[in-house]
Amino acid sequence: MTSSVRSEPAVPAASQPTLHRRIREELRERILCGAWQPHERLPSESALMAQYGVSRITVRQALGDLESARLIFKVPGKGSFVAQSKPFQELGRLQGFAEAMGPLGHDTFNRLLSLQTVAADARVAERLRLDVGTPVTEVRRVRHLDHRPVSLDVTWLPLHLGRRLRSDELATRDIFLILENDCATPLGHADLALDAVSADAQTAALLGLPPGAPMLHIERLTHDREGRPIDYEHLYCRSDTFQYRMRLQRR
């Protein structure tokens, strides 16, 4: 009787990690380039064994790495499937949302909730270096990415800049680009603070979340090239469908 167990081809022990990494990287590239779409089934373990001429354990090592990276998920008895990847924006660059997402192939849209003149409260006034009660422009928007709501953005600007904003443009244009292109106000830098919060009932309803769901909260104060604060905002982001990323280097 012959054994049905497939034996590994004779490969030096030092080459084994390279072999499973090669399979992992080739599968990873196909996922990231869109050759396999979210929830599409990957070739079976037997098919991958035949394609690469390796044993089941090597294939499982490669698939295990992809699962740990959350690029695939496994369904017992059915196989491995491409996971729904999270779009992300790099925090290391000062960019508007549409400006960052467009080149990555994502569709963006802003649902404008309100555009109004309000009196600056103590926190807004302090951030924008104004007197309490000074009129400022307040903008409330729900950001949509690929037709799904991903964040609630509340922004305050000095009135001389806020008056240049138009409701019909805010559906598709970033405030950053309006400031630079329409208001001739080049951006300089931004200060950020991040923490985790729970969605209140109103925010949860706007973002399609259950009340109390965890969210990422970003407080951002953007300055112009001369160092003047011009854009103060709070972003409340869904943590299940979107990511912010940053690379840090040790100096």
Side-chain angles (χ1 to χ4, degrees):
M1 179 180 296
T2 59
S3 174
S4 61
V5 178
R6 185 186 183 97
S7 61
E8 185 78 87
V11 179
S15 301
Q16 296 295 331
T18 301
L19 186 58
H20 111 263
R21 281 201 300 266
R22 174 189 157 222
I23 299 171
R24 177 193 67 202
E25 290 305 309
E26 289 187 8
L27 298 180
R28 177 179 179 274
E29 180 61 29
R30 296 201 66 186
I31 293 171
L32 295 181
C33 77
W36 290 324
Q37 295 299 307
H39 303 295
E40 183 175 346
R41 187 177 184 273
L42 270 66
S44 67
E45 290 182 358
S46 297
L48 292 173
M49 290 164 56
Q51 178 181 346
Y52 289 101
V54 297
S55 69
R56 191 175 301 274
I57 189 171
T58 300
V59 168
R60 286 181 174 175
Q61 282 180 315
L63 294 177
D65 287 351
L66 295 174
E67 185 177 24
S68 297
R70 299 183 180 179
L71 290 174
I72 67 170
F73 63 93
K74 296 180 180 179
V75 178
K78 294 186 177 181
S80 299
F81 298 81
V82 178
Q84 178 71 54
S85 62
K86 288 185 181 181
F88 66 91
Q89 181 176 353
E90 292 285 353
L91 281 179
R93 301 183 63 187
L94 185 54
Q95 289 182 303
F97 186 71
E99 182 184 12
M101 294 294 101
L104 298 178
H106 297 290
D107 294 323
T108 60
F109 173 77
N110 306 318
R111 181 161 72 93
L112 182 63
L113 303 178
S114 64
L115 170 61
Q116 59 185 337
T117 300
V118 301
D121 61 21
R123 189 172 187 82
V124 171
E126 187 270 333
R127 291 293 190 270
L128 293 178
R129 300 180 193 166
L130 302 170
D131 293 330
V132 174
T134 300
V136 295
T137 298
E138 179 190 84
V139 184
R140 293 177 177 266
R141 298 167 294 169
V142 174
R143 297 279 204 176
H144 286 72
L145 181 68
D146 297 331
H147 311 292
R148 294 182 297 176
V150 293
S151 69
L152 168 65
D153 296 5
V154 185
T155 306
W156 296 270
L157 304 100
L159 200 57
H160 73 281
L161 295 174
R163 283 174 172 160
R164 304 291 297 273
L165 303 180
R166 293 172 45 186
S167 58
D168 59 333
E169 293 184 332
L170 289 173
T172 56
R173 296 186 70 195
D174 289 325
I175 289 180
F176 282 176
L177 292 183
I178 295 175
L179 291 175
E180 291 198 313
N181 297 337
D182 300 1
C183 303
T185 306
L187 304 183
H189 70 277
D191 297 318
L192 288 81
L194 294 80
D195 60 357
V197 298
S198 298
D200 58 31
Q202 183 180 17
T203 303
L206 290 172
L207 298 182
L209 293 170
M215 295 190 304
L216 174 66
H217 169 234
I218 300 177
E219 180 182 356
R220 181 167 63 187
L221 178 62
T222 302
H223 303 73
D224 66 14
R225 194 169 291 171
E226 303 302 319
R228 294 181 291 258
I230 56 172
D231 180 299
Y232 177 54
E233 57 191 320
H234 285 259
L235 296 81
Y236 301 90
C237 310
R238 292 185 59 149
S239 60
D240 59 337
T241 59
F242 188 72
Q243 289 181 332
Y244 282 98
R245 296 183 183 179
M246 180 182 296
R247 171 173 290 183
L248 302 176
Q249 293 183 342
R250 185 179 179 90
R251 296 186 182 277

